[in-house]
Amino acid sequence: MIVRLTILLTALWGALVYPLHGEISADTEAASMPQRSSVLVLYPDEGEDHALGELHAVNIANLAGRHAEAALAAISEYQPNDRSGHDALIVVNSTYGQSLPPALLDDAINGEGTTVWIQPDPASLQAAAPGLAAQIGWLAEAATTKAFPDVVYRGEHFTRNPGSMDLVAEIHVTDPERVEILAQMQAEDGELMPWALRSGALTWVSESPMPYASEDDRYLVFADILSRTLAPDAPDVRQALMRIEDIGPDADPAQIRTLLAAIEVLNVPFAATVYDTFVDPNGHFSNGRERRFSLNERPYLASALRDMARAGGTLIMHGQTHQHANIPNPGFGVSGSDYEFFRAGLDSSGRFDLLGPLENDSEAHWDDRLDLAFANWDMAGLPQPWLFTSPHYAASQSAYSAMGERFPARLERVLYFGGEASGDSDGADALYSEQFFPYPVRDIRGDVILPETLGNWAPEGSIHGRSMEAMLETARRNLVLRDNYASFFFHWYLDPARLTELTTSLQAMGYEFVSPQLAAAVIPARLPRDGTSATTRASRDYWSEVDSLRFWLRDQIELIILALVLLAHLVVFSIGPKRRRAAAH
């Protein structure tokens, strides 16, 4: 009896007192919108693997979307002065067999504005433009067969995956006073070879940075060089984003509150991804019996999520069910483990393998699904989300289109498809790649994407995550990047002590944790109106709802109901033994 009373009184005290904790203020005011430039990105449309080169150009145009509005066009279609009206020209000639219009060579070398040229075969360029070597101060010779597994940038070593080691030309600087070597490749014997260099307004990169891009790859070097080239006067950024992942209706409210208490001790802004409906369609975890329930059926969890929002947390929609129909996609069709917006399988090592769009893929289908998700959030008393994160970072083009109409920004890594630049793909093409961003961008689709750069911490032995040491080493190395975000996610059911360790370690390196809305404020979502972007307006609406009377009343009503339920249990527990004793006599 005493134990039962203690448990009930503790639960009652926690229910009545806990929501009254102090709040972390969430500053949603955006800084003045930065001036954005215009850039023309040219992609290969001839020769071997030109479709892959086009996809690389899309990825690079997305990176340019940090500071500029990017337009895409085919290299062979370039006409004289096409670059006029643009502040910069980026030529992605990353495949072999592409013809170069004379007008492009002339405008790239002699035209006004910055030029970034990406090509593994500069010798052919120099052959097409006699006298170029003397003009730019460096000379390209035959391609080298030597392996260069590192790229050295500002004193730090970034990886160059063996699978990405296409042949690159040997480059020799003939006039050091006219050439700035931005980054160098390094062989295992210590030999250095220029990887990226600048001569006047021309910046040269020896290869496409896209193949095998990873958290520690030379891709980040290229992104930083591009950012510094397009916006040389932009300020240094050392910011961090924390995201709590995969909170669904089956989450434990007590564990969510424990995690929230740890975050409040850290006193940092954060975000949390939430899906509103749990589905086990084939009864994998319930002896063959289908299970389905939503957040509005889990009031204690919904109350904990409202406390997260009140504590300065940005709740992000993370799909509707985090699975799809009753099919294995790729697991057992159970929420939280499967894909929702793309077809997936498992490879021989148990890792996810993307297979393409789902059979019922259409923008109308995804619109209906998002309608249901918004309705369920409203029934659960949660503030309407303005950010989205696709389950497992995968969706079809039609799904991304539906998301773009509803959400001014997303926080995730994104799939891009072959033919998106030329218009030759409907998204069913097998050619696609996932891209992560080291900073906020507006991509070629017009979507604002916030960065996720460090991955997620997972216990030793897991194939879906990274070690603490690897994440912190990535963050430390990236300190040489000017535009640098240490962004990660952490699953709600893991040890909060590891979240504390990761957060405090990043702070010790000099990273400042910011809210997603402040990270998004540097990118104008769609067309700015009234001096603010759609992203800023949407996040202000979110916080207005968190501070609203309706939001507060929902909590109070649920607390009163909880208190009455606990009181009823207390009465039953106290009266029941008396009746049994009376009956015994």
Side-chain angles (χ1 to χ4, degrees), residues 427-493:
D429 196 307
L431 186 63
Y432 54 82
S433 67
E434 180 186 88
Q435 184 174 14
F436 76 95
F437 298 101
Y439 36 62
V441 304
R442 184 160 74 189
D443 69 8
I444 64 162
R445 301 168 182 157
D447 297 333
V448 173
I449 310 297
L450 301 187
E452 187 272 277
T453 57
L454 302 183
N456 64 292
W457 177 78
E460 186 177 353
S462 172
I463 63 173
H464 300 297
R466 306 181 73 203
S467 69
M468 184 74 64
E469 293 74 20
M471 295 175 72
L472 293 177
E473 175 60 18
T474 297
R476 185 205 61 76
R477 181 188 297 108
N478 288 355
L479 288 172
V480 301
L481 308 177
R482 182 191 68 174
D483 208 357
N484 180 18
Y485 288 75
S487 178
F488 65 90
F489 64 95
F490 187 91
H491 287 97
W492 65 267
Y493 46 80

Side-chain angles (χ1 to χ4, degrees), residues 104-328:
L104 172 59
L105 291 171
D106 185 55
D107 287 352
I109 304 303
N110 303 313
E112 294 184 1
T114 298
T115 297
V116 178
W117 199 294
I118 301 160
Q119 184 172 332
D121 181 23
S124 64
L125 175 63
Q126 291 180 159
L132 177 62
Q135 185 176 351
I136 61 179
W138 55 269
L139 175 67
E141 296 184 350
T144 177
T145 58
K146 191 170 186 176
F148 290 86
D150 287 354
V151 169
V152 183
Y153 181 64
R154 296 179 174 265
E156 285 292 345
H157 288 246
F158 292 80
T159 61
R160 187 168 177 260
N161 189 290
S164 67
M165 290 185 185
D166 294 332
L167 297 181
V168 293
E170 291 191 24
I171 295 177
H172 299 282
V173 175
T174 57
D175 189 350
E177 293 186 2
R178 299 172 57 189
V179 177
E180 178 187 3
I181 298 177
L182 304 175
Q184 299 184 87
M185 299 183 297
Q186 186 173 51
E188 291 183 355
D189 62 7
E191 180 186 356
L192 295 171
M193 183 74 64
W195 185 79
L197 41 77
R198 179 174 294 137
S199 177
L202 174 65
T203 298
W204 181 274
V205 182
S206 295
E207 63 176 344
S208 170
M210 296 313 306
Y212 301 95
S214 68
E215 291 89 349
D216 301 317
D217 189 67
R218 84 280 192 235
Y219 165 74
L220 294 160
V221 174
F222 173 81
D224 198 60
I225 289 174
L226 186 63
S227 175
R228 293 174 187 266
T229 301
L230 297 180
D233 298 325
D236 288 0
V237 175
R238 300 286 184 274
Q239 294 184 341
L241 294 169
M242 175 197 296
R243 189 175 95 233
I244 307 304
E245 190 78 347
D246 281 345
I247 302 177
D250 57 325
D252 180 1
Q255 200 159 350
I256 295 296
R257 290 195 182 278
T258 299
L259 184 62
L260 177 57
I263 295 173
E264 290 192 285
V265 171
L266 294 169
N267 194 35
V268 297
F270 67 100
T273 61
V274 179
Y275 59 94
D276 60 85
T277 300
F278 176 86
V279 182
D280 184 355
N282 304 308
H284 178 72
F285 293 113
S286 54
N287 297 318
R289 180 174 55 86
E290 178 185 2
R291 294 187 70 208
R292 175 184 292 266
F293 52 90
S294 297
L295 279 172
N296 64 305
E297 301 173 71
R298 296 293 186 268
Y300 304 153
L301 176 61
S303 177
L305 290 172
R306 286 193 293 275
D307 271 357
M308 274 191 155
R310 189 178 291 108
T314 300
L315 301 184
I316 301 174
M317 185 178 286
H318 193 35
Q320 199 257 315
T321 63
H322 206 310
Q323 56 83 239
H324 193 82
N326 62 350
I327 62 174

